[in-house]
């Protein structure tokens, strides 16, 4: 079995911006088994509030024994994570779900929007090890959310293009605007971000006959396939559970417009 329940130890909590934080955890069993696109269920606090674990993508693996999570503070659970201190313990279950498939051995494009950028650094790192070129398109509300992440993708050899809602970095507009010129030259797109953005990317890829994998989000109570709370509609009209069948799907498996 590759899933573990493990008491990790907080190594560092680093604020990247006002709301984005990066948490480094010593968690040898989960780190050893983790693949890009998989996630962990995290007990966010020492008490029963919040009661349920929260899902987070594995942002990066550091060495053999640590993983990082990149998270945005949106509620009580993520607030508690942002207040952790080195040496504290944190219970994790993972790695969970179906991650990204094997990367193709020629040109690909990664597309990340907002906190959806989180799982793409782990994927880009795997890609980097294969010595192939890649492009990453990063979108966010403002440039300050992208600056550090963009430099980390560049350090992995990725060509980075950015788009921001307020025009403070790169293209003033949607990250999906940046994709069209690339579609004639690439074989596959890997995307994670807001649902509407991924639906647009899926549509553009379908029209251009480019393969696309998308990492979806849903409210998750268990992360283990037990509560059936993370249901989405599949293109085949059958229900799919994001925690078990995903979170990464081939874009054509998903009914994007339901
Ligand atoms: C597979 C998966 C991977 C994820 N990876 C990351 C990640 O890498 N970084 C990150 O910051 N977040 C990630 N999320 C979302 C993260 O789980 C939620 O932001 C977190 O659970 C919020 O907990 P909270 O207690 O702070 O907020 P809550 O008080 O529970 O909720 C605050 C607000 O966020 C909304 N919300 C909570 N969970 C979700 C969700 N799953 N989808 C959409 N909206 C939600 C609520 O509706 C509410 O409006 C991921 C979710 C999934 C399903
Ligand atoms: S979160 Fe419980 S079945 Fe998916």
């Amino acid at each position: 079995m590759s899933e573990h329940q493990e008491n990790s130890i907080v190594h560092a909590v680093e604020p990247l911006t006002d709301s984005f934080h990066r948490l480094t955890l010593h968690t040898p069993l989960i780190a050893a088994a983790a693949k890009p696109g998989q996630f962990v269920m995290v007990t966010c606090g020492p008490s029963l509030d919040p009661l349920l674990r929260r899902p987070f993508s594995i942002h990066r693996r550091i060495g053999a024994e640590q993983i990082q999570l990149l998270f945005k503070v949106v509620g009580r659970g993520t607030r508690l994570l942002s207040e952790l201190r080195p040496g504290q313990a944190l219970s994790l279950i993972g790695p969970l779900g179906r991650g990204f498939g094997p990367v193709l051995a020629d040109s690909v494009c990664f597309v990340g929007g907002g906190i959806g950028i989180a799982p793409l650094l782990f994927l880009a790192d795997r890609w980097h090890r294969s010595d192939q070129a890649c492009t990453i398109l990063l979108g966010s509300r403002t440039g300050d959310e992208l600056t550090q992440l963009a430099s980390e993708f560049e350090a992995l050899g990725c060509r980075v293009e950015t788009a921001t809602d307020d025009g403070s970095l790169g293209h003033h507009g949607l990250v999906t605007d940046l994709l069209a010129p690339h579609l004639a030259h690439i074989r596959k797109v890997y995307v994670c971000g807001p649902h509407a953005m991924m639906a647009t990317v899926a549509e553009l890829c379908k029209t251009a006959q480019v393969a696309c994998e998308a990492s979806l989000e849903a409210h998750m109570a268990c992360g283990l396939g037990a509560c059936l709370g993370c249901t989405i509609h599949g293109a085949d009209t059958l229900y799919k559970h994001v925690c078990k069948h995903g979170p990464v799907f081939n874009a054509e498996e998903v009914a994007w417009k339901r």
Side-chain angles (χ1 to χ4, degrees):
M1 189 175 83
S2 60
E3 294 163 14
H4 304 279
Q5 180 164 352
E6 191 169 33
N7 280 324
S8 67
I9 302 296
V10 175
H11 179 74
V13 194
E14 172 198 2
L16 290 197
T17 67
D18 287 347
S19 61
F20 282 17
H21 290 70
R22 187 141 59 187
L23 180 58
T24 307
L25 299 166
H26 185 260
T27 184
L29 294 176
I30 291 175
K35 296 192 176 59
Q38 291 188 297
F39 66 100
V40 287
M41 293 295 289
V42 180
T43 301
C44 294
S47 72
L48 291 179
D49 178 22
L51 181 63
L52 298 174
R53 290 173 184 267
R54 302 292 197 246
F56 295 94
S57 304
I58 299 169
H59 172 52
R60 188 155 61 173
R61 180 166 50 202
I62 307 287
E65 301 197 336
Q66 293 185 343
I67 63 167
Q68 288 186 322
L69 310 181
L70 177 71
F71 63 91
K72 181 173 184 173
V73 176
V74 295
R76 179 160 167 76
T78 44
R79 169 69 56 205
L80 286 168
L81 291 182
S82 73
E83 292 166 355
L84 286 167
R85 294 287 167 261
Q88 286 185 270
L90 198 65
S91 171
L92 306 184
I93 298 177
L96 296 168
R98 185 174 81 164
F100 293 104
V103 271
L104 296 174
D106 58 13
S107 53
V108 299
C109 186
F110 305 139
V111 186
I115 198 62
I117 295 166
L120 298 179
L121 199 63
F122 192 5
L123 184 66
D125 187 44
R126 181 171 78 180
W127 184 253
H128 174 59
R129 284 164 210 273
S130 74
D131 258 354
Q132 301 293 322
C134 75
T135 299
I136 179 149
L137 313 178
L138 300 175
S140 197
R141 287 181 307 114
T142 67
D144 67 334
E145 292 179 351
L146 295 182
T147 315
Q148 182 164 342
L149 291 165
S151 66
E152 289 168 356
F153 281 104
E154 278 167 352
L156 291 174
C158 296
R159 285 185 302 270
V160 179
E161 296 178 28
T162 54
T164 46
D165 295 348
D166 65 0
S168 55
L169 187 70
H171 170 66
H172 188 176
L174 301 175
V175 68
T176 47
D177 299 341
L178 301 175
L179 181 59
H182 293 280
L183 286 169
H185 316 289
I186 54 177
R187 286 187 59 200
K188 191 154 186 176
V189 170
Y190 299 85
V191 60
C192 186
H195 187 90
M197 170 209 142
M198 292 197 290
T200 302
V201 169
E203 187 63 35
L204 288 169
C205 288
K206 188 175 175 187
T207 305
Q209 296 186 306
V210 170
C212 177
E213 288 186 30
S215 181
L216 270 64
E217 271 199 24
H219 287 277
M220 286 187 183
C222 73
L224 298 165
C227 72
L228 309 186
C230 61
T231 307
I232 59 160
H233 289 280
D236 56 6
T237 73
L238 298 175
Y239 291 123
K240 311 232 179 270
H241 299 113
V242 174
C243 70
K244 273 290 175 195
H245 301 121
V248 179
F249 293 87
N250 289 321
E252 64 271 22
E253 290 180 275
V254 177
W256 291 101
K257 289 197 176 139
R258 286 191 192 224

